PDB file of all heavy atoms in Angstrom:
ATOM      1  N   GLY A 541      17.037  41.828 -56.661  1.00 92.00           N
ATOM      2  CA  GLY A 541      16.818  43.215 -56.962  1.00 92.00           C
ATOM      3  C   GLY A 541      18.076  44.018 -57.074  1.00 92.00           C
ATOM      4  O   GLY A 541      18.241  44.848 -57.913  1.00 92.00           O
ATOM      5  N   SER A 542      18.922  43.699 -56.085  1.00 93.00           N
ATOM      6  CA  SER A 542      20.185  44.462 -56.067  1.00 93.00           C
ATOM      7  C   SER A 542      21.126  44.040 -57.221  1.00 93.00           C
ATOM      8  O   SER A 542      21.652  44.921 -57.899  1.00 93.00           O
ATOM      9  CB  SER A 542      20.926  44.192 -54.716  1.00 93.00           C
ATOM     10  OG  SER A 542      22.090  44.858 -54.646  1.00 93.00           O
ATOM     11  N   PHE A 543      21.218  42.742 -57.457  1.00 92.00           N
ATOM     12  CA  PHE A 543      22.101  42.303 -58.566  1.00 92.00           C
ATOM     13  C   PHE A 543      21.566  42.823 -59.887  1.00 92.00           C
ATOM     14  O   PHE A 543      22.333  43.292 -60.744  1.00 92.00           O
ATOM     15  CB  PHE A 543      22.086  40.766 -58.666  1.00 92.00           C
ATOM     16  CG  PHE A 543      22.834  40.123 -57.546  1.00 92.00           C
ATOM     17  CD1 PHE A 543      22.344  38.933 -56.983  1.00 92.00           C
ATOM     18  CD2 PHE A 543      23.957  40.665 -57.028  1.00 92.00           C
ATOM     19  CE1 PHE A 543      23.113  38.325 -55.931  1.00 92.00           C
ATOM     20  CE2 PHE A 543      24.687  40.119 -55.992  1.00 92.00           C
ATOM     21  CZ  PHE A 543      24.238  38.843 -55.482  1.00 92.00           C
ATOM     22  N   ALA A 544      20.199  42.906 -60.051  1.00 92.00           N
ATOM     23  CA  ALA A 544      19.600  43.390 -61.307  1.00 92.00           C
ATOM     24  C   ALA A 544      19.978  44.786 -61.553  1.00 92.00           C
ATOM     25  O   ALA A 544      19.799  45.244 -62.712  1.00 92.00           O
ATOM     26  CB  ALA A 544      18.145  43.086 -61.252  1.00 92.00           C
ATOM     27  N   LEU A 545      20.277  45.546 -60.498  1.00 92.00           N
ATOM     28  CA  LEU A 545      20.610  46.962 -60.684  1.00 92.00           C
ATOM     29  C   LEU A 545      22.103  47.110 -61.017  1.00 92.00           C
ATOM     30  O   LEU A 545      22.607  48.216 -61.114  1.00 92.00           O
ATOM     31  CB  LEU A 545      20.266  47.750 -59.451  1.00 92.00           C
ATOM     32  CG  LEU A 545      18.803  48.076 -59.214  1.00 92.00           C
ATOM     33  CD1 LEU A 545      18.571  48.625 -57.851  1.00 92.00           C
ATOM     34  CD2 LEU A 545      18.373  48.981 -60.328  1.00 92.00           C
ATOM     35  N   GLY A 546      22.843  45.959 -61.078  1.00 89.00           N
ATOM     36  CA  GLY A 546      24.213  46.071 -61.386  1.00 89.00           C
ATOM     37  C   GLY A 546      25.120  46.202 -60.211  1.00 89.00           C
ATOM     38  O   GLY A 546      26.199  46.668 -60.273  1.00 89.00           O
ATOM     39  N   ALA A 547      24.521  45.853 -59.012  1.00 91.00           N
ATOM     40  CA  ALA A 547      25.381  45.918 -57.793  1.00 91.00           C
ATOM     41  C   ALA A 547      26.335  44.678 -57.794  1.00 91.00           C
ATOM     42  O   ALA A 547      25.899  43.594 -58.139  1.00 91.00           O
ATOM     43  CB  ALA A 547      24.546  45.997 -56.546  1.00 91.00           C
ATOM     44  N   THR A 548      27.505  44.832 -57.216  1.00 91.00           N
ATOM     45  CA  THR A 548      28.314  43.697 -57.007  1.00 91.00           C
ATOM     46  C   THR A 548      27.867  42.961 -55.729  1.00 91.00           C
ATOM     47  O   THR A 548      27.030  43.551 -55.009  1.00 91.00           O
ATOM     48  CB  THR A 548      29.784  44.096 -56.849  1.00 91.00           C
ATOM     49  OG1 THR A 548      29.873  44.926 -55.683  1.00 91.00           O
ATOM     50  CG2 THR A 548      30.315  44.909 -58.008  1.00 91.00           C
ATOM     51  N   HIS A 549      28.439  41.812 -55.571  1.00 91.00           N
ATOM     52  CA  HIS A 549      28.062  41.007 -54.413  1.00 91.00           C
ATOM     53  C   HIS A 549      28.287  41.735 -53.088  1.00 91.00           C
ATOM     54  O   HIS A 549      27.446  41.746 -52.236  1.00 91.00           O
ATOM     55  CB  HIS A 549      28.756  39.681 -54.463  1.00 91.00           C
ATOM     56  CG  HIS A 549      28.042  38.556 -53.738  1.00 91.00           C
ATOM     57  ND1 HIS A 549      28.073  37.302 -54.114  1.00 91.00           N
ATOM     58  CD2 HIS A 549      27.254  38.696 -52.628  1.00 91.00           C
ATOM     59  CE1 HIS A 549      27.302  36.608 -53.304  1.00 91.00           C
ATOM     60  NE2 HIS A 549      26.902  37.440 -52.386  1.00 91.00           N
ATOM     61  N   SER A 550      29.487  42.438 -53.035  1.00 93.00           N
ATOM     62  CA  SER A 550      29.777  43.005 -51.774  1.00 93.00           C
ATOM     63  C   SER A 550      28.966  44.230 -51.494  1.00 93.00           C
ATOM     64  O   SER A 550      28.541  44.534 -50.427  1.00 93.00           O
ATOM     65  CB  SER A 550      31.293  43.335 -51.661  1.00 93.00           C
ATOM     66  OG  SER A 550      31.550  44.553 -52.424  1.00 93.00           O
ATOM     67  N   GLU A 551      28.646  45.000 -52.635  1.00 92.00           N
ATOM     68  CA  GLU A 551      27.676  46.147 -52.449  1.00 92.00           C
ATOM     69  C   GLU A 551      26.307  45.578 -51.968  1.00 92.00           C
ATOM     70  O   GLU A 551      25.698  46.263 -51.084  1.00 92.00           O
ATOM     71  CB  GLU A 551      27.561  46.876 -53.735  1.00 92.00           C
ATOM     72  CG  GLU A 551      28.700  47.740 -54.012  1.00 92.00           C
ATOM     73  CD  GLU A 551      28.721  48.215 -55.480  1.00 92.00           C
ATOM     74  OE1 GLU A 551      28.088  47.576 -56.390  1.00 92.00           O
ATOM     75  OE2 GLU A 551      29.405  49.199 -55.809  1.00 92.00           O
ATOM     76  N   THR A 552      25.908  44.486 -52.579  1.00 93.00           N
ATOM     77  CA  THR A 552      24.631  43.933 -52.143  1.00 93.00           C
ATOM     78  C   THR A 552      24.647  43.574 -50.640  1.00 93.00           C
ATOM     79  O   THR A 552      23.717  43.894 -49.860  1.00 93.00           O
ATOM     80  CB  THR A 552      24.286  42.754 -52.973  1.00 93.00           C
ATOM     81  OG1 THR A 552      24.363  43.099 -54.328  1.00 93.00           O
ATOM     82  CG2 THR A 552      22.972  42.161 -52.649  1.00 93.00           C
ATOM     83  N   VAL A 553      25.744  42.916 -50.235  1.00 94.00           N
ATOM     84  CA  VAL A 553      25.896  42.517 -48.830  1.00 94.00           C
ATOM     85  C   VAL A 553      25.821  43.773 -47.924  1.00 94.00           C
ATOM     86  O   VAL A 553      25.104  43.791 -46.970  1.00 94.00           O
ATOM     87  CB  VAL A 553      27.169  41.695 -48.596  1.00 94.00           C
ATOM     88  CG1 VAL A 553      27.366  41.515 -47.114  1.00 94.00           C
ATOM     89  CG2 VAL A 553      27.077  40.356 -49.294  1.00 94.00           C
ATOM     90  N   ARG A 554      26.677  44.714 -48.216  1.00 92.00           N
ATOM     91  CA  ARG A 554      26.806  45.904 -47.365  1.00 92.00           C
ATOM     92  C   ARG A 554      25.615  46.701 -47.277  1.00 92.00           C
ATOM     93  O   ARG A 554      25.145  47.222 -46.253  1.00 92.00           O
ATOM     94  CB  ARG A 554      27.967  46.710 -47.805  1.00 92.00           C
ATOM     95  CG  ARG A 554      29.301  46.335 -47.036  1.00 92.00           C
ATOM     96  CD  ARG A 554      30.463  47.290 -47.450  1.00 92.00           C
ATOM     97  NE  ARG A 554      30.821  47.068 -48.854  1.00 92.00           N
ATOM     98  CZ  ARG A 554      30.821  48.035 -49.721  1.00 92.00           C
ATOM     99  NH1 ARG A 554      30.579  49.291 -49.393  1.00 92.00           N
ATOM    100  NH2 ARG A 554      31.176  47.816 -50.985  1.00 92.00           N
ATOM    101  N   GLN A 555      24.937  47.019 -48.478  1.00 91.00           N
ATOM    102  CA  GLN A 555      23.863  47.982 -48.483  1.00 91.00           C
ATOM    103  C   GLN A 555      22.473  47.410 -48.438  1.00 91.00           C
ATOM    104  O   GLN A 555      21.552  48.111 -48.236  1.00 91.00           O
ATOM    105  CB  GLN A 555      24.081  48.866 -49.726  1.00 91.00           C
ATOM    106  CG  GLN A 555      25.424  49.537 -49.689  1.00 91.00           C
ATOM    107  CD  GLN A 555      25.571  50.529 -50.814  1.00 91.00           C
ATOM    108  OE1 GLN A 555      24.621  51.053 -51.269  1.00 91.00           O
ATOM    109  NE2 GLN A 555      26.777  50.712 -51.278  1.00 91.00           N
ATOM    110  N   VAL A 556      22.314  46.139 -48.742  1.00 91.00           N
ATOM    111  CA  VAL A 556      21.002  45.596 -48.745  1.00 91.00           C
ATOM    112  C   VAL A 556      20.798  44.448 -47.734  1.00 91.00           C
ATOM    113  O   VAL A 556      19.918  44.493 -46.880  1.00 91.00           O
ATOM    114  CB  VAL A 556      20.625  45.009 -50.165  1.00 91.00           C
ATOM    115  CG1 VAL A 556      19.273  44.336 -50.069  1.00 91.00           C
ATOM    116  CG2 VAL A 556      20.599  46.122 -51.181  1.00 91.00           C
ATOM    117  N   ILE A 557      21.756  43.480 -47.689  1.00 92.00           N
ATOM    118  CA  ILE A 557      21.518  42.333 -46.851  1.00 92.00           C
ATOM    119  C   ILE A 557      21.748  42.663 -45.440  1.00 92.00           C
ATOM    120  O   ILE A 557      20.965  42.318 -44.456  1.00 92.00           O
ATOM    121  CB  ILE A 557      22.420  41.266 -47.313  1.00 92.00           C
ATOM    122  CG1 ILE A 557      21.905  40.761 -48.724  1.00 92.00           C
ATOM    123  CG2 ILE A 557      22.391  39.996 -46.410  1.00 92.00           C
ATOM    124  CD1 ILE A 557      22.791  39.725 -49.361  1.00 92.00           C
ATOM    125  N   ILE A 558      22.869  43.296 -45.097  1.00 91.00           N
ATOM    126  CA  ILE A 558      23.086  43.654 -43.701  1.00 91.00           C
ATOM    127  C   ILE A 558      21.998  44.579 -43.100  1.00 91.00           C
ATOM    128  O   ILE A 558      21.505  44.278 -42.003  1.00 91.00           O
ATOM    129  CB  ILE A 558      24.538  44.287 -43.537  1.00 91.00           C
ATOM    130  CG1 ILE A 558      25.616  43.349 -44.043  1.00 91.00           C
ATOM    131  CG2 ILE A 558      24.780  44.705 -42.097  1.00 91.00           C
ATOM    132  CD1 ILE A 558      25.823  42.145 -43.160  1.00 91.00           C
ATOM    133  N   PRO A 559      21.641  45.637 -43.831  1.00 87.00           N
ATOM    134  CA  PRO A 559      20.519  46.404 -43.221  1.00 87.00           C
ATOM    135  C   PRO A 559      19.276  45.585 -43.035  1.00 87.00           C
ATOM    136  O   PRO A 559      18.567  45.787 -42.035  1.00 87.00           O
ATOM    137  CB  PRO A 559      20.310  47.548 -44.283  1.00 87.00           C
ATOM    138  CG  PRO A 559      21.612  47.602 -45.020  1.00 87.00           C
ATOM    139  CD  PRO A 559      22.174  46.288 -45.026  1.00 87.00           C
ATOM    140  N   ALA A 560      19.004  44.712 -44.042  1.00 87.00           N
ATOM    141  CA  ALA A 560      17.739  43.940 -43.808  1.00 87.00           C
ATOM    142  C   ALA A 560      17.856  42.960 -42.671  1.00 87.00           C
ATOM    143  O   ALA A 560      16.892  42.642 -42.018  1.00 87.00           O
ATOM    144  CB  ALA A 560      17.474  43.202 -45.141  1.00 87.00           C
ATOM    145  N   ALA A 561      19.134  42.456 -42.408  1.00 88.00           N
ATOM    146  CA  ALA A 561      19.244  41.457 -41.344  1.00 88.00           C
ATOM    147  C   ALA A 561      19.541  42.127 -40.054  1.00 88.00           C
ATOM    148  O   ALA A 561      19.789  41.454 -39.007  1.00 88.00           O
ATOM    149  CB  ALA A 561      20.367  40.505 -41.707  1.00 88.00           C
ATOM    150  N   PHE A 562      19.673  43.459 -40.047  1.00 86.00           N
ATOM    151  CA  PHE A 562      20.172  44.225 -38.884  1.00 86.00           C
ATOM    152  C   PHE A 562      19.503  43.868 -37.538  1.00 86.00           C
ATOM    153  O   PHE A 562      20.222  43.609 -36.519  1.00 86.00           O
ATOM    154  CB  PHE A 562      20.159  45.732 -39.068  1.00 86.00           C
ATOM    155  CG  PHE A 562      20.936  46.450 -38.086  1.00 86.00           C
ATOM    156  CD1 PHE A 562      22.284  46.395 -38.093  1.00 86.00           C
ATOM    157  CD2 PHE A 562      20.271  47.249 -37.168  1.00 86.00           C
ATOM    158  CE1 PHE A 562      22.981  47.083 -37.101  1.00 86.00           C
ATOM    159  CE2 PHE A 562      20.962  47.923 -36.235  1.00 86.00           C
ATOM    160  CZ  PHE A 562      22.333  47.887 -36.188  1.00 86.00           C
ATOM    161  N   PRO A 563      18.175  43.840 -37.493  1.00 83.00           N
ATOM    162  CA  PRO A 563      17.515  43.501 -36.216  1.00 83.00           C
ATOM    163  C   PRO A 563      18.047  42.189 -35.647  1.00 83.00           C
ATOM    164  O   PRO A 563      18.315  42.114 -34.480  1.00 83.00           O
ATOM    165  CB  PRO A 563      16.080  43.488 -36.493  1.00 83.00           C
ATOM    166  CG  PRO A 563      15.881  44.090 -37.871  1.00 83.00           C
ATOM    167  CD  PRO A 563      17.209  44.108 -38.520  1.00 83.00           C
ATOM    168  N   GLY A 564      18.071  41.137 -36.488  1.00 84.00           N
ATOM    169  CA  GLY A 564      18.488  39.878 -36.008  1.00 84.00           C
ATOM    170  C   GLY A 564      19.920  39.900 -35.600  1.00 84.00           C
ATOM    171  O   GLY A 564      20.316  39.224 -34.563  1.00 84.00           O
ATOM    172  N   ILE A 565      20.769  40.635 -36.274  1.00 89.00           N
ATOM    173  CA  ILE A 565      22.198  40.707 -35.951  1.00 89.00           C
ATOM    174  C   ILE A 565      22.340  41.361 -34.554  1.00 89.00           C
ATOM    175  O   ILE A 565      23.069  40.877 -33.743  1.00 89.00           O
ATOM    176  CB  ILE A 565      23.018  41.450 -37.002  1.00 89.00           C
ATOM    177  CG1 ILE A 565      23.034  40.588 -38.289  1.00 89.00           C
ATOM    178  CG2 ILE A 565      24.406  41.703 -36.519  1.00 89.00           C
ATOM    179  CD1 ILE A 565      23.602  41.257 -39.438  1.00 89.00           C
ATOM    180  N   VAL A 566      21.619  42.457 -34.335  1.00 87.00           N
ATOM    181  CA  VAL A 566      21.645  43.120 -33.015  1.00 87.00           C
ATOM    182  C   VAL A 566      21.233  42.167 -31.968  1.00 87.00           C
ATOM    183  O   VAL A 566      21.835  42.043 -30.869  1.00 87.00           O
ATOM    184  CB  VAL A 566      20.740  44.337 -33.011  1.00 87.00           C
ATOM    185  CG1 VAL A 566      20.564  44.907 -31.605  1.00 87.00           C
ATOM    186  CG2 VAL A 566      21.327  45.459 -33.950  1.00 87.00           C
ATOM    187  N   GLY A 567      20.087  41.442 -32.221  1.00 84.00           N
ATOM    188  CA  GLY A 567      19.642  40.450 -31.293  1.00 84.00           C
ATOM    189  C   GLY A 567      20.744  39.424 -30.952  1.00 84.00           C
ATOM    190  O   GLY A 567      20.919  39.087 -29.770  1.00 84.00           O
ATOM    191  N   SER A 568      21.439  38.914 -31.929  1.00 86.00           N
ATOM    192  CA  SER A 568      22.455  37.915 -31.655  1.00 86.00           C
ATOM    193  C   SER A 568      23.601  38.505 -30.851  1.00 86.00           C
ATOM    194  O   SER A 568      24.123  37.759 -30.015  1.00 86.00           O
ATOM    195  CB  SER A 568      22.882  37.236 -33.018  1.00 86.00           C
ATOM    196  OG  SER A 568      23.714  38.118 -33.659  1.00 86.00           O
ATOM    197  N   VAL A 569      23.955  39.736 -31.254  1.00 90.00           N
ATOM    198  CA  VAL A 569      25.078  40.357 -30.467  1.00 90.00           C
ATOM    199  C   VAL A 569      24.700  40.587 -29.051  1.00 90.00           C
ATOM    200  O   VAL A 569      25.525  40.254 -28.089  1.00 90.00           O
ATOM    201  CB  VAL A 569      25.486  41.679 -31.182  1.00 90.00           C
ATOM    202  CG1 VAL A 569      26.425  42.450 -30.241  1.00 90.00           C
ATOM    203  CG2 VAL A 569      26.117  41.439 -32.492  1.00 90.00           C
ATOM    204  N   LEU A 570      23.418  41.044 -28.759  1.00 87.00           N
ATOM    205  CA  LEU A 570      23.076  41.285 -27.358  1.00 87.00           C
ATOM    206  C   LEU A 570      22.944  39.961 -26.598  1.00 87.00           C
ATOM    207  O   LEU A 570      23.281  39.932 -25.413  1.00 87.00           O
ATOM    208  CB  LEU A 570      21.795  42.048 -27.307  1.00 87.00           C
ATOM    209  CG  LEU A 570      22.041  43.531 -27.646  1.00 87.00           C
ATOM    210  CD1 LEU A 570      20.724  44.332 -27.767  1.00 87.00           C
ATOM    211  CD2 LEU A 570      22.878  44.174 -26.571  1.00 87.00           C
ATOM    212  N   LEU A 571      22.544  38.913 -27.301  1.00 84.00           N
ATOM    213  CA  LEU A 571      22.541  37.604 -26.657  1.00 84.00           C
ATOM    214  C   LEU A 571      23.929  37.170 -26.280  1.00 84.00           C
ATOM    215  O   LEU A 571      24.174  36.670 -25.170  1.00 84.00           O
ATOM    216  CB  LEU A 571      21.966  36.605 -27.604  1.00 84.00           C
ATOM    217  CG  LEU A 571      21.261  35.345 -26.995  1.00 84.00           C
ATOM    218  CD1 LEU A 571      20.083  35.766 -26.244  1.00 84.00           C
ATOM    219  CD2 LEU A 571      21.020  34.377 -28.124  1.00 84.00           C
TER     220      LEU A 571
END
Side-chain angles (χ1 to χ4, degrees):
Chain A
S542 177
F543 289 143
L545 284 170
T548 63
H549 205 147
S550 80
E551 283 165 341
T552 304
V553 168
R554 267 184 292 125
Q555 301 187 28
V556 175
I557 293 175
I558 299 291
F562 191 70
I565 291 172
V566 170
S568 75
V569 168
L570 284 172
L571 204 68

